[in-house]
Amino acid sequence: MEIHPAGQAPCTVCEPGWLISLCADVRMRHYWDGLPRINLAAGQAWCTGAESDAVCWVETGLLATVFADAQGRERVHHFHSAAHWLTPPFGLPAQDWRIEAQVPSRLLVMDARQLDEAKLLDKRVHDWMLQALMAERQRLIQREHQWLMFSAAERYLKVLQEAPGWLEQVPQHRLASYLGVTDVALSRIRRRLKTGH
């Protein structure tokens, strides 16, 4: 039962110890341990159209939500590290996005039926899940607003401050896409910061 990420701060609702508290009940612990897990290799995508109503808890690893435009150009919209919930984008055609593991990752996946079963075992599940998903959505919206105000170098420094582990885990072209710059521009930013200019 791993709930602490290496890098980015965990879900604000799910800490401290929400999972430990939830699983203190033997029935809920048995249920949680029995939920399906998906292991993804680096570069492998999760979520097909059939799974688009699922919710998942990132137990280990790091994932990216990647969008593609009409010309096939891809853009990393968000990263999702361990100890975060994530849901597929709603209302978008399946071919326009994917959720891709950046490093070997393990996800606990809950569909609507499994979530209903959890609610029957413990009424707190519904409130926790709703609050956690709302908090995660708020985090992503806040990040988007900040990104609009920051220069590319400031965005890079923000990643250094909040999730330095990504620099070793994420391929440069994915990190550049997340920052909204080209690979060449990201290399220049790194060089300038190293030389102090």
Side-chain angles (χ1 to χ4, degrees), residues 161-181:
Q161 176 189 355
E162 295 182 351
W166 290 0
L167 302 185
E168 289 77 38
Q169 295 178 309
V170 178
Q172 176 158 313
H173 72 283
R174 287 281 184 246
L175 184 59
S177 174
Y178 176 68
L179 297 173
V181 298

Side-chain angles (χ1 to χ4, degrees), residues 21-89:
S21 172
L22 184 67
C23 291
D25 181 278
V26 175
R27 294 178 311 149
M28 180 57 77
R29 168 103 190 198
H30 179 74
Y31 175 80
W32 181 267
D33 290 343
L35 286 169
R37 268 72 172 175
I38 296 175
N39 292 303
L40 299 176
Q44 186 178 0
W46 169 69
C47 203
T48 65
E51 298 166 323
S52 60
D53 63 343
V55 174
C56 81
W57 171 254
V58 184
E59 286 194 326
T60 62
L62 179 67
L63 295 99
T65 301
V66 182
F67 290 91
D69 64 18
Q71 288 72 43
R73 293 172 300 197
E74 294 186 341
R75 175 74 186 273
V76 173
H77 204 243
H78 297 299
F79 285 113
H80 313 273
S81 56
H84 283 88
W85 291 98
L86 71 91
T87 59

Side-chain angles (χ1 to χ4, degrees), residues 45-141:
W46 169 69
C47 203
T48 65
E51 298 166 323
S52 60
D53 63 343
V55 174
C56 81
W57 171 254
V58 184
E59 286 194 326
T60 62
L62 179 67
L63 295 99
T65 301
V66 182
F67 290 91
D69 64 18
Q71 288 72 43
R73 293 172 300 197
E74 294 186 341
R75 175 74 186 273
V76 173
H77 204 243
H78 297 299
F79 285 113
H80 313 273
S81 56
H84 283 88
W85 291 98
L86 71 91
T87 59
F90 294 113
L92 292 176
Q95 67 271 16
D96 290 350
W97 59 270
R98 69 181 181 282
I99 297 174
E100 178 187 283
Q102 303 304 292
V103 297
S105 303
R106 184 174 71 245
L107 312 181
L108 178 149
V109 181
M110 300 179 74
D111 60 22
R113 178 186 59 81
Q114 290 158 337
L115 184 56
D116 286 340
E117 290 173 353
K119 292 174 191 174
L120 292 175
L121 289 173
D122 193 320
K123 294 179 181 178
R124 295 175 296 170
V125 169
H126 178 267
D127 289 339
W128 267 332
M129 181 69 71
L130 184 60
Q131 290 178 41
L133 291 175
M134 289 177 63
E136 182 67 4
R137 179 61 185 155
Q138 183 61 36
R139 179 184 74 84
L140 299 179
I141 290 173

